[in-house]
Amino acid sequence: MPRAFLVVLDSVGCGGAPDAEAFGDAGANTLGHIAQACAAGQADKGRAGPLRLPVLDGLGLGAAILLASGMDAPGLGARPSGLWGAATEVSRGKDTPSGHWELAGVPVPWDWTYFPRQIPAFSPDLTAKVCDLAGTHGILGNCHAGGVAIIDRFGAEHLRTGWPICYTSADSVFQIAAHEQAFGLDRLHKLCADLAPHLHAIRVGRVIARPFLGTEGAFTRTHNRRDYAIAPPAPTLCDWVSGAGRVVHGVGKISDIFSGQGITHSHKGADDAALCDHLLRLVDGAEDGSLTFCNLVEFDSLYGHPRDVAGYARALERFDAVAGQMLGRLRPGDIAVFTADHGNDPTAAGSDHTRERVPVLVAGLGAGEIGHCGFVDVAASIAQHLGVPAHGPGRSFLP
């Protein structure tokens, strides 16, 4: 039986979303602007010259950028050897759960709850709930912030008081940072798990545990992050495949994003390099008829939010080599689908995600233009390839 590998390059958008202006993201184009910066010599830290993605561009990446946004991205002009297109999201968000659920066939049917850009950002009732669950007399932060900056700002006070550091972002998310040793890692995870149902009930998408270590002036986040996400509102591609008796491998945050629903095995790692090792191992050994669903988050977390153009380019070029290894190991009948869940243009103002179309590149079925499609069409297409019933609104774009 054929297998399918769905790889989400977190935040690797390609511009052109028709509703970008409504999100404050008019003109955003993650891939296009990175390619332009590289060609202009503005991303030469740790690398040099035009953006080099021979494998992904060979599948049709440059063509997808042009289709999505009208931009002829410098250095990405190969003649496509795979199926290629650009997908548009309909869910009213530009966040991880919205993008992944819709790629898996289920658009978000509600408006997410977002916290206001004010201090305090959280209501007195919510703050009291956190204090009650944490057993503390207060919280720190209570604002919009980046994860590294807020730990540097409040880490020492956290060690003195024992109060958790609570913050949010432009996403529908409540994040809690705490010292693994002084506060306790298990205690932090339990606090987030206990708080999550209360926030899910008001349509906050995720509660995220953000542990760190170190001392004042030298705090570092650890790899023991854990996401407590609201469950999808309907069965997704993962459920369709597992419900047909097939195996579903979730690599990276996938099990967290889908609250474990439909996931047979979850494969975690300390970084994207470790996740790519899992991905290549599964290309070699995953079961016939299985789905491997992978999220690689560092494009977003390490380079998109900090607005690091050169770092983003380096990460793309590193993954292109991994994609080449994947394609060389696929079995006859397998497909590999490379796409993204939203944008995070590192040349844009601020530090938030950007509303964009995303590339859809398919290896294993020859060359051809998919054209414009919906996120949900990715799920319908993979279901068709695996021979399992699709229950969502998408339509397959496979030949």
Side-chain angles (χ1 to χ4, degrees), residues 209-256:
R210 293 284 198 175
F212 64 95
L213 287 170
T215 57
E216 185 171 2
F219 293 120
T220 57
R221 294 199 292 186
T222 75
H223 297 294
N224 292 317
R225 162 185 171 157
R226 188 169 295 175
D227 291 39
Y228 299 85
I230 190 172
T236 70
L237 172 66
C238 303
D239 301 296
W240 309 346
V241 176
S242 62
R246 311 286 186 83
V247 173
V248 177
H249 295 279
V251 180
K253 297 196 302 178
I254 295 299
S255 184
D256 294 334

Side-chain angles (χ1 to χ4, degrees), residues 12-163:
V12 183
C14 56
D19 56 359
E21 186 172 1
F23 287 80
D25 297 323
N29 190 331
T30 299
L31 282 165
H33 289 153
I34 292 170
Q36 287 181 336
C38 290
Q42 297 169 352
D44 286 352
K45 185 177 180 180
R47 58 166 309 284
L51 187 62
R52 296 179 180 87
L53 304 175
V55 177
L56 295 176
D57 190 35
L59 290 175
L61 184 61
I65 298 169
L66 181 61
L67 173 68
S69 64
M71 180 186 292
D72 193 356
L76 301 178
R79 182 176 181 178
S81 62
L83 296 179
W84 60 273
T88 303
E89 185 175 12
V90 300
S91 298
R92 295 181 295 274
K94 51 179 180 177
D95 54 85
T96 295
S98 296
H100 281 77
W101 290 0
E102 194 166 327
L103 288 168
V106 180
V108 179
W110 55 67
D111 288 325
W112 295 109
T113 294
Y114 300 96
F115 295 107
R117 286 187 175 274
Q118 63 187 38
I119 299 175
F122 310 127
S123 70
D125 287 346
L126 177 54
T127 300
K129 185 66 178 179
V130 176
C131 292
D132 180 58
L133 292 172
T136 62
H137 295 296
I139 65 172
L140 302 173
N142 205 339
C143 60
H144 281 245
V148 173
I150 201 163
I151 291 169
D152 289 341
R153 180 180 174 187
F154 290 104
E157 189 175 354
H158 166 73
L159 291 178
R160 290 194 299 270
T161 65
W163 293 5

Side-chain angles (χ1 to χ4, degrees), residues 177-371:
H179 197 280
E180 282 196 6
Q181 295 172 343
F183 189 88
L185 181 60
D186 290 343
R187 182 184 173 198
L188 172 61
H189 286 163
K190 185 177 188 304
L191 170 59
C192 292
D194 291 346
L195 181 63
H198 302 276
L199 287 169
H200 293 166
I202 60 170
R203 302 302 191 208
V204 174
R206 286 179 293 165
V207 177
I208 304 178
R210 293 284 198 175
F212 64 95
L213 287 170
T215 57
E216 185 171 2
F219 293 120
T220 57
R221 294 199 292 186
T222 75
H223 297 294
N224 292 317
R225 162 185 171 157
R226 188 169 295 175
D227 291 39
Y228 299 85
I230 190 172
T236 70
L237 172 66
C238 303
D239 301 296
W240 309 346
V241 176
S242 62
R246 311 286 186 83
V247 173
V248 177
H249 295 279
V251 180
K253 297 196 302 178
I254 295 299
S255 184
D256 294 334
I257 293 166
F258 291 91
S259 294
Q261 292 185 188
I263 308 298
T264 312
H265 303 291
S266 181
H267 309 268
K268 301 283 190 176
D271 51 27
D272 276 4
L275 299 181
C276 286
D277 288 342
H278 283 310
L279 184 58
L280 292 173
R281 176 177 56 80
L282 289 165
V283 173
D284 288 338
E287 299 83 352
D288 287 347
S290 63
L291 168 66
T292 296
F293 195 167
C294 175
N295 168 275
L296 299 176
V297 73
E298 289 181 355
F299 302 103
D300 184 60
S301 62
L302 296 187
Y303 309 112
H305 289 299
R307 299 304 192 239
D308 182 351
V309 178
Y312 210 131
R314 293 194 306 270
L316 288 167
E317 290 172 340
R318 284 195 300 269
F319 179 74
D320 195 74
V322 174
Q325 294 179 64
M326 282 187 66
L327 301 193
R329 300 183 188 187
L330 292 178
R331 300 173 187 168
D334 290 347
I335 63 169
V337 181
F338 303 98
T339 187
D341 53 344
H342 51 73
N344 201 345
D345 188 340
T347 71
S351 61
D352 297 337
H353 293 156
T354 45
R355 180 74 162 186
E356 301 180 38
R357 288 185 168 121
V358 300
V360 179
L361 311 175
V362 184
L365 293 175
E369 180 177 349
I370 294 167

